[in-house]
Amino acid sequence: MTAALPAGNAIDKLRQASPTVLPSMLQCDFTNLEREVRRLEDAGVSGLHLDVMDGHFVPNFTYGLTIIDAFRKLTELPLDAHLMIANPGEYAAQFVDAGADIVTIHIEAAENTEEILGEIKSRGAAAGLAVNPSTSLDAISDVQHLADLLLVMSVQPGFGGQSFQEVALEKLVALRDNGKLTALLEVDGGVNDQTIGRCASAGADLAVVGSAIFAHEDYSARLSALMHTLRGD
Ligand code: DX5
Ligand code: ZN
């Protein structure tokens, strides 16, 4: 197994690349994962966002450790694992061992958030903390300083292709306005040509995009267009 990048390395790479788009691989062609990864590498992406769903925390299943391991073998790009699972403390370390560079847990799913973020980091990955659209930022105020990445959900997690929820913009602005912020800010859900510019203006470093890339043939063209709008150039 190819080792994950050292935690600081993945976060530093993404920080240098920011603002940038991370493709959500939920809707990629799993019949040819290697080709999908190469197409995205050729398009110049800076990392891959991997959505893990367990059918409990969210009403949908996707994939787990074996697919993270497969991505790890296929690429040296930073792998950003978004765990939409119940009891993340039981599995977070295994996702680090499978090769994820960033492991993000949901505040709504974890009771011992501090401990889990610490375990992810001590295992050698970066630790992320996610908040659902209906969750107030107050829920993370005590622990957010322990996270390397804060993920603001702009849809209720579970499915790609949903509409962007504006509440995410307010949260991004609030987090960005906090002078002490050191974590990267990521936004996920319904990010497309119409919403990505506002995510950047609100302070997002990383914009996760599924449908607005994978519903199209030419990933390179889609990424160029989205990056252009994201960077406002
Ligand atoms: C939703 C996932 C997202 C999703 C993004 O639960 O976390 O990463 O796949 O897909 P789009 O861009 O289609 O909303
Ligand atoms: Zn996600």
Side-chain angles (χ1 to χ4, degrees):
M1 179 168 62
T2 312
L5 296 167
N9 195 341
I11 287 287
D12 288 350
K13 279 189 175 178
L14 291 174
R15 196 183 297 283
Q16 280 162 21
S18 75
T20 197
V21 171
L22 296 184
S24 155
M25 304 306 286
L26 204 54
Q27 297 173 67
C28 80
D29 179 2
F30 281 96
T31 65
N32 199 333
L33 209 50
E34 181 162 17
R35 190 184 61 146
E36 293 290 79
V37 170
R38 296 292 164 258
R39 288 174 74 190
L40 293 163
E41 285 179 341
D42 290 347
V45 301
S46 297
L48 302 176
H49 180 88
L50 306 178
D51 287 303
V52 177
M53 304 187 192
D54 69 347
H56 288 279
F57 180 67
V58 290
N60 195 13
F61 283 102
T62 54
Y63 49 78
L65 294 163
T66 51
I67 296 292
I68 303 289
D69 181 53
F71 275 108
R72 181 73 290 153
K73 287 176 174 142
L74 288 171
T75 186
E76 294 188 354
L77 285 172
L79 298 180
D80 171 33
H82 175 194
L83 303 191
M84 287 161 275
I85 64 173
N87 303 319
E90 284 185 32
Y91 303 101
Q94 293 181 61
F95 281 93
V96 180
D97 294 348
D101 299 293
I102 303 168
V103 175
T104 296
I105 62 166
H106 268 263
I107 189 72
E108 301 85 0
E111 284 172 9
N112 46 346
T113 311
E114 192 171 337
E115 198 179 305
I116 304 169
L117 295 176
E119 188 183 14
I120 292 167
K121 291 202 270 192
S122 69
R123 206 105 180 167
L129 190 57
V131 281
N132 281 342
S134 57
T135 301
S136 158
L137 288 181
D138 294 343
I140 61 166
S141 58
D142 288 349
V143 286
Q144 71 181 63
H145 64 285
L146 300 170
D148 301 299
L149 176 149
L150 295 172
L151 168 51
V152 175
M153 290 303 298
S154 36
V155 298
Q156 183 63 19
F159 299 92
Q162 302 182 71
S163 298
F164 186 86
Q165 295 188 27
E166 306 273 331
V167 66
L169 297 173
E170 295 162 26
K171 288 182 184 169
L172 289 168
V173 168
L175 289 167
R176 182 56 72 200
D177 281 353
N178 176 344
K180 287 182 284 185
L181 182 77
T182 54
L184 284 176
L185 286 187
E186 183 174 52
V187 61
D188 182 7
V191 179
N192 56 30
D193 300 76
Q194 285 70 46
T195 55
I196 198 167
R198 283 188 293 152
C199 293
S201 305
D205 298 301
L206 306 172
V208 175
V209 180
S211 312
I213 296 172
F214 293 98
H216 304 265
E217 272 305 308
D218 189 341
Y219 297 169
S220 228
R222 293 305 307 135
L223 279 152
S224 300
L226 288 160
M227 288 292 287
H228 183 73
T229 311
L230 180 67
R231 295 188 167 165
D233 55 23

